[in-house]
Amino acid sequence: MNFFEYRDGEMHVENIKVSMIADKVGTPFYLYSSASLEYQYNQFKDAFGDLDLLICYAVKANTNQAVIKTLGSLGAGADVVSEGEMRRAIKAGISPQKIVYSGVAKTVAEMTYALKKGIFQFNVESEPELYQLSEVATALGKVADITFRVNPDVDAKTHAKISTGKSENKFGIPWKNIHQICAKAAKLSGIKLVGLDLHIGSQITDLAPFEEAFTRVGNLVETLREEGHDITRLDLGGGIGISYDGENDNPILSHDYAKMVKRVVGHLQCQIIIEPGRFLVGNAGILVSKVVYVKEGAERSFLIIDAAMNDLIRPSMYDAYHAIDPVIENKDAKVAYDIVGPVCETGDTFAKGRIINPLKKDQLIVIRSVGAYGAVMASTYNTRRLIPEVLVKTNEFAVVRPRPSYEDIIGLDQLPSWLSE
Ligand code: LLP
């Protein structure tokens, strides 16, 4: 479902004209649709029927309080990877009893914070982390419910930078060491082994790697039970890919994913935890920008827009494709542009040779599918201000993160005594 549609040749978000919000907020900015968030969450959840399921939204995809709260109020828990993310999730109203803590480098301070808050589960990724957690929990007089993140050595067939389930990746516990580490965990104080966890990568567009990995981990649950471990939870991670072309349905449908999960691991009678990020929020956001100049180069036409790689890094970092459209459609023959930002690097390119409607200075343009890993990966490189985030609900909109002032950014620096007057 696309919630950013043309009506009478002009792009709307739900019932509001994108151009109207741009007039009020100024460009560039991120624009999110509540209806899209709600639709994605509900149809994903509904696909599982009465399966014992906890959907822990991977907040790293979009940590805006308004986004987390929208999903939390529908019943979502959270997957967090830092104390900061856990604080954000709790502040947005998510109960610690619905929060799972992932990540390869949890520190003593982070473990302490999470245990004191009464976190639901730690996904433990290594033996040193296991011993550290046992020590921290024992000192606090608490027992940490843990799963072990298994590295299933499965190729997720996605971009190398976001692939996590191969044995060469830093994530998870090597397949062959699992039995040994579970036996060790059973003897430790402050630790209760409750399940297994995996996450093989992100933007996965085919069910096959998921099925392969879930089958392997499902078999492991059975053998661990035979060895006497009381395995009651299975955390399947996130990674479900989305469509980036602005038109088509997602490559993996909730219904098909849910059916596969039930078929492959349903018989284990575990509580199933899933950590989707991109799938819930990716297509709920666009980036609205304005053409600063149209520049005819020696060989190519450049559409120079006021958004840059610091606002949205995905094209420069992963060569990611995002559909780009004008806010007002026109009937002129389409042309090819290199769509670039103002930052002083050739890598500040959103698209090369993109065929779209011809555009002029000051006209509005949108980059689609940026609800996930957009605003959260932004920086102030080139001393550009972080751009606002705006959330729409039906006929209303609200700025959910304002544009900081220049003083907000420059004021973060402090002069040492020898340079102050
Ligand atoms: N669970 C764990 C343990 C993860 O590491 C991640 C993402 C997720 C869940 C959520 O994955 P998702 O459902 O969103 O695919 N910045 C990259 C994506 C990095 C993903 C990192 N881990 C991008 O822009 O494509």
Side-chain angles (χ1 to χ4, degrees), residues 165-222:
K166 290 281 290 165
S167 57
E168 71 213 38
N169 301 132
K170 72 178 173 187
F171 300 96
I173 291 161
W175 189 253
K176 60 178 179 33
N177 300 350
I178 285 289
H179 298 277
Q180 212 186 0
I181 199 172
C182 286
K184 286 181 181 163
K187 297 200 190 100
L188 286 176
S189 62
I191 295 287
K192 182 169 176 229
L193 173 64
V194 294
L196 293 179
D197 161 55
L198 76 163
H199 172 76
I200 58 172
S202 194
Q203 185 52 16
I204 299 168
T205 53
D206 181 1
L207 271 182
F210 284 121
E211 177 158 356
E212 192 185 338
F214 298 171
T215 306
R216 296 197 80 179
V217 175
N219 292 340
L220 196 51
V221 169
E222 290 182 316

Side-chain angles (χ1 to χ4, degrees), residues 2-16:
N2 190 343
F3 292 85
F4 301 91
E5 279 183 320
Y6 289 105
R7 274 186 231 155
D8 301 325
E10 174 151 10
M11 191 179 290
H12 285 64
V13 47
E14 302 190 29
N15 291 342
I16 309 184

Side-chain angles (χ1 to χ4, degrees), residues 58 60 79 149 162 199 202 239 275 277-278 314 318 373 377:
K60 66 164 75 69
D79 166 54
R149 176 166 173 180
I162 52 175
H199 172 76
S202 194
E275 306 167 354
R278 188 188 320 259
R314 301 196 72 259
Y318 314 109
Y373 309 111
M377 293 181 79

